[in-house]
Amino acid sequence: MTGRDRLRELLDAVLDEDNRTLADMAGGAFASPYHFTRVLSRDAGEAPVAMRRRVMLERAAWRIRQGDTVTDAAWEAGYESVEGFSRAFTRAYGHPPSEAGGDDGSVWLPAANGIHFHPPTSLWVHAGERTMSPVTDQMVRHDLDDTRALIELAKGLTDAGWREVRGAGHQVAAWEGPEESLAAVLERTVFAKEVWLAAIEGTDFPDVDRSPTPAGLLERHDAVAARWLAAVRDIDRRGAWDDRIVDALCEPPESFVLSSIAAHVLTFSAYRRQLTRVWLRAAGVEADDGDPITWLRRELGEDR
């Protein structure tokens, strides 16, 4: 073969061990960051920062299966802390890296372009890969990330501020009861995913603390977030959005269409998250506007 394979050169720049920022990648490909991002996004259907993050996680999962420590895998994947790596890994795979050992299937994460890590240091392009709609994927992931960010902000409140009644008699849904404080609103945001996962998975009604501290609620959120994302992706992969479950947790049992469950969770979560912002600001805590456009720009590394 003759001539240059420009796409391969761009991909090489994305995955080079020393290129950890967009500027590094673009420099390795002898291009400006703008041109580098535009060409790779056009030809590979994925922004370079997002692609590198995903492929590095795939490689980290493979290395852990080969016996590497989580710490070594985190460092090689470009993370500055094991905690940050563990959080990203858990959100991506639905389980923490400590449970990634053993050969229990592919380490590939969803990718519309089919570009994946291939051991030990190569790429594999899987033709015809089908992934979740970008709109669905972004709405679900933004909801999870935004909820976590708000709970983190709430950790700066005193216990009295966390539990203070800010909307006397306020309730989001009749069957949920009053949600008059930041503690109640954020707890219901997390609990909704816990209880619907129990219905989908056919497990017992969640036995959880309905009056947690922000730190305790953050632990619950991190535990359920990855499972919720994995469940949504599995439903989409199987084309099961129109399937129904019979929820035995209801009295009497009710049937629900899976797509309506996801829409229900996203709808009520969006309202609760924006209400949380209003109440946080009233408590003197600075909060952004929760715009998914801003969130996606951060995800794609376009805010640098």
Side-chain angles (χ1 to χ4, degrees), residues 52-277:
R52 177 181 173 81
R53 183 186 304 120
R54 176 179 59 77
V55 175
M56 290 298 100
L57 282 174
E58 292 178 345
R59 187 179 73 167
W62 177 79
R63 289 194 179 282
I64 292 171
R65 288 187 182 182
Q66 303 306 304
D68 279 13
T69 66
V70 173
T71 300
D72 287 344
W75 176 253
E76 290 182 357
Y79 287 82
E80 296 180 354
S81 72
V82 174
E83 180 185 2
F85 169 73
S86 295
R87 189 162 56 244
F89 189 102
T90 301
R91 189 182 71 173
Y93 283 101
H95 58 76
S98 58
E99 298 177 9
D103 185 12
D104 56 353
S106 174
V107 299
W108 290 353
L109 294 168
N113 53 27
I115 297 172
H116 297 282
F117 169 73
H118 182 60
T121 58
S122 304
L123 289 177
W124 185 287
V125 181
H126 178 50
E129 182 165 349
R130 178 183 178 276
T131 58
M132 191 156 60
S133 158
V135 175
T136 306
D137 180 72
Q138 289 172 25
M139 289 182 69
V140 172
R141 291 192 298 115
H142 172 252
D143 171 44
L144 295 172
D145 285 357
D146 198 40
T147 300
R148 189 180 204 285
L150 291 171
I151 299 173
E152 283 281 10
L153 287 176
K155 287 168 66 176
L157 296 169
T158 63
D159 187 66
W162 168 244
R163 304 184 192 280
E164 179 182 339
V165 173
R166 300 181 184 276
H170 171 267
Q171 64 179 27
V172 178
W175 62 88
E176 290 277 15
E179 300 179 33
E180 301 174 323
S181 65
L182 283 163
V185 169
L186 283 171
E187 195 279 335
R188 298 300 197 282
T189 306
V190 174
F191 179 72
K193 299 177 181 71
E194 293 171 328
V195 72
W196 281 114
L197 271 177
I200 293 170
E201 296 170 351
T203 57
D204 294 335
F205 194 88
D207 181 17
V208 295
D209 181 4
R210 298 307 296 263
S211 185
T213 63
L217 186 60
L218 191 62
E219 290 183 8
R220 279 173 53 187
H221 168 78
D222 287 348
V224 77
R227 292 174 52 226
W228 175 251
L229 180 58
V232 172
R233 283 175 170 168
D234 180 64
I235 291 168
D236 187 80
R237 178 184 58 80
R238 295 184 289 109
W241 286 116
D242 292 330
D243 289 2
R244 290 177 178 267
I245 62 166
V246 177
D247 185 0
L249 300 179
C250 296
E251 281 290 342
E254 291 185 53
S255 69
F256 299 95
V257 178
L258 290 175
S259 59
S260 72
I261 292 175
H264 167 96
V265 170
L266 288 169
T267 297
F268 285 98
S269 181
Y271 169 76
R272 287 180 171 121
R273 286 186 281 111
Q274 293 306 96
L275 177 62
T276 294
R277 284 182 161 82

